[in-house]
Amino acid sequence: MSSPSLPGTQHVSDATLGRLSLYLRHLTEWQAAGVATVSSTRLAAAAGTTPATLRKDLNPLGSHGRPGVGYDVASLVPVLESTLGLTTAWRVAIIGAGHLGQALAGYAGFTQRGFPVVALLDSSRALIGTHVGELMVQDATDLERVVAAEDITMAVLTVPGPAAQRLVDRLALAGVRSILSFAPVAVQAPDGVHVRRVDLASELQLLAHRAGS
Amino acid sequence: MSSPSLPGTQHVSDATLGRLSLYLRHLTEWQAAGVATVSSTRLAAAAGTTPATLRKDLNPLGSHGRPGVGYDVASLVPVLESTLGLTTAWRVAIIGAGHLGQALAGYAGFTQRGFPVVALLDSSRALIGTHVGELMVQDATDLERVVAAEDITMAVLTVPGPAAQRLVDRLALAGVRSILSFAPVAVQAPDGVHVRRVDLASELQLLAHRAGS
DNA sequence: CCGTGTGAATAAATTCACAGCA
DNA sequence: TGCTGTGAATTTATTCACACGG
């Protein structure tokens, strides 16, 4: 499945990407506050990691730090944005307008960080046609039409486990290649379609284990 | 009931725990369906991992599989529940009654999997006193009193980044040792207090990167 | 002096391979 | 024959240590 790294596109691991996202968040904050340079020690502390890890993370993106000074904030921000794929205009659809789906539709964090939610779908008669914030819940039967009409490039699945696989199949067929699923089941997707799973109850169980030991 | 009499709790990694949670989910489903035994191949497929990894995951929990047959479902379920800390009665408070907090308060998945939400707090005058499902939003100023009165053992933080650290400090001081934070900032906690961070926008950025490469 | 960039060392997680039991 | 349990090998991630530039 993994294609050899194309010239210019160094491989960046998932663990690293998660941290890059945090780095970017702090850098934009500091950029707005007028901070010009930042040392690896300071940025690492803000992101909850170590200076060594941070430098390793930033290394494959090119040299944007000056010895004795630190990293140039203004120079680093666009590089991170580009690496994280924020140069493309993403358009997100949320499938499943239950509690979680409605909340994510109204969650300002998504839009703020470059992922505007432009459609909300559900299969329940009771929900279709109702309004959640500025969005109207659309019929999940029309998934393919909505994806095309709204130019959806990313989907968030907040549906019960059993419904997830079928929706992933339909989304993939409709051309959506990035899917974030909250369903607590493993799903399969064709090559080129990326599914990432977040299991909230699982996170609580992990905490429960640690507290018990 | 029969807690594993092995005195030393073997170390189980975070990566493994995340998978154990998924295994448990499928096992309870199959147990209800009357399935008696399951092979590592089948369970691994359902959880989206490999048989070898699954056997390694289950190994430190003791031998519950029989060669040539597979794992005994009824025997494995309680072991996983015990390992994941589901034998204690957890009581969850959600701090922050914004979109995300309200959704999680009404999210059935938490209660279903052993983590009932029994309190919802916020600092906004406009929200205090309003009802979300069966819960009334309480004043975050009273955090310490609510933790004691409701016997809170776990907290979910759905507050803006800048507010997170202060609340972690107060929760730790009030005796809460397990915290799940949705704030996109690193927080520090004293020894014995576990904080796990989930950054939803970060998950989308990870997908965005993969799609761009 | 600081603080970056990076090779070397260490630690962790995953995969392989196979002996042995039902 | 099928499938577990587990040591060994491999891949991946993190930490250490230090040469070199401002």
Side-chain angles (χ1 to χ4, degrees):
Chain A
M1 73 166 236
S2 57
S3 54
S5 8
L6 303 166
T9 343
Q10 292 258 10
H11 180 256
V12 182
S13 78
D14 278 14
T16 293
L17 283 168
R19 288 189 298 264
L20 290 186
S21 178
L22 247 191
Y23 301 154
L24 176 57
R25 200 183 165 279
H26 287 282
L27 286 172
T28 48
E29 219 167 60
W30 290 337
Q31 187 177 33
V35 177
T37 59
V38 152
S39 73
S40 64
T41 309
R42 178 149 172 232
L43 183 49
T49 185
T50 66
T53 299
L54 182 142
R55 291 202 297 272
K56 273 275 195 282
D57 286 343
L58 259 39
N59 195 33
L61 311 184
S63 291
H64 297 275
R66 289 214 311 287
V69 181
Y71 292 92
D72 184 52
V73 176
S75 148
L76 203 47
V77 165
V79 174
L80 287 178
E81 284 176 342
S82 154
T83 303
L84 289 168
L86 294 184
T87 45
T88 0
W90 294 97
R91 296 174 62 81
V92 180
I94 294 180
I95 326 287
H99 280 113
L100 193 53
Q102 290 189 25
L104 296 182
Y107 182 45
F110 280 172
T111 303
Q112 272 168 26
R113 287 167 78 182
F115 301 94
V117 177
V118 297
L120 177 59
L121 296 88
D122 202 291
S123 59
S124 151
R125 278 278 160 74
L127 287 170
I128 296 168
T130 63
H131 285 259
V132 174
E134 300 186 351
L135 295 173
M136 191 190 72
V137 179
Q138 300 185 70
D139 191 338
T141 309
D142 297 335
L143 181 67
E144 290 76 9
R145 194 182 51 71
V146 173
V147 166
E150 294 286 349
D151 193 21
I152 301 298
T153 48
M154 195 176 273
V156 175
L157 275 189
T158 52
V159 298
Q165 181 64 63
R166 174 127 192 279
L167 284 167
V168 167
D169 294 341
R170 288 177 63 191
L171 284 164
L173 219 57
V176 178
R177 301 194 320 172
S178 301
I179 302 170
L180 182 65
S181 169
F182 284 85
V185 293
V187 291
Q188 286 194 317
D191 273 10
V193 176
H194 302 282
V195 178
R196 195 162 169 81
R197 204 172 55 79
V198 174
D199 187 341
L200 298 179
S202 200
E203 301 288 341
L204 293 188
Q205 291 191 341
L206 206 146
L207 281 168
H209 165 87
R210 292 211 282 227
S213 58
Chain B
M1 283 290 212
S2 57
S3 56
S5 46
L6 299 168
T9 317
Q10 292 255 10
H11 181 256
V12 182
S13 77
D14 278 13
T16 293
L17 282 169
R19 289 189 296 266
L20 290 186
S21 177
L22 247 191
Y23 302 154
L24 176 58
R25 199 182 165 281
H26 287 282
L27 286 171
T28 48
E29 218 168 61
W30 289 337
Q31 187 177 33
V35 177
T37 59
V38 151
S39 74
S40 63
T41 309
R42 179 148 171 231
L43 184 49
T49 183
T50 66
T53 300
L54 182 142
R55 293 202 296 275
K56 274 276 196 279
D57 286 343
L58 259 39
N59 196 31
L61 312 184
S63 290
H64 297 273
R66 290 213 313 287
V69 181
Y71 292 90
D72 185 52
V73 177
S75 145
L76 203 48
V77 166
V79 174
L80 286 179
E81 284 176 343
S82 154
T83 303
L84 290 168
L86 295 184
T87 45
T88 1
W90 294 97
R91 296 175 61 80
V92 180
I94 295 179
I95 325 288
H99 280 112
L100 193 54
Q102 289 189 25
L104 295 181
Y107 182 45
F110 281 173
T111 303
Q112 273 168 25
R113 288 168 78 181
F115 300 95
V117 178
V118 297
L120 177 59
L121 296 88
D122 203 291
S123 59
S124 151
R125 278 278 161 73
L127 287 169
I128 295 167
T130 62
H131 286 259
V132 175
E134 301 187 350
L135 295 172
M136 191 189 74
V137 179
Q138 300 185 68
D139 191 338
T141 309
D142 297 335
L143 180 67
E144 289 76 8
R145 193 183 51 73
V146 173
V147 166
E150 294 285 349
D151 193 20
I152 300 298
T153 49
M154 196 176 272
V156 176
L157 275 190
T158 52
V159 298
Q165 180 64 63
R166 176 125 192 279
L167 285 168
V168 167
D169 293 341
R170 287 177 63 192
L171 284 164
L173 218 57
V176 177
R177 299 194 323 172
S178 301
I179 302 169
L180 182 65
S181 169
F182 285 84
V185 293
V187 292
Q188 287 194 316
D191 273 9
V193 176
H194 302 282
V195 178
R196 196 163 167 79
R197 204 172 54 79
V198 173
D199 188 342
L200 298 178
S202 198
E203 301 288 341
L204 293 188
Q205 291 191 339
L206 205 143
L207 282 167
H209 166 87
R210 291 212 283 228
S213 59

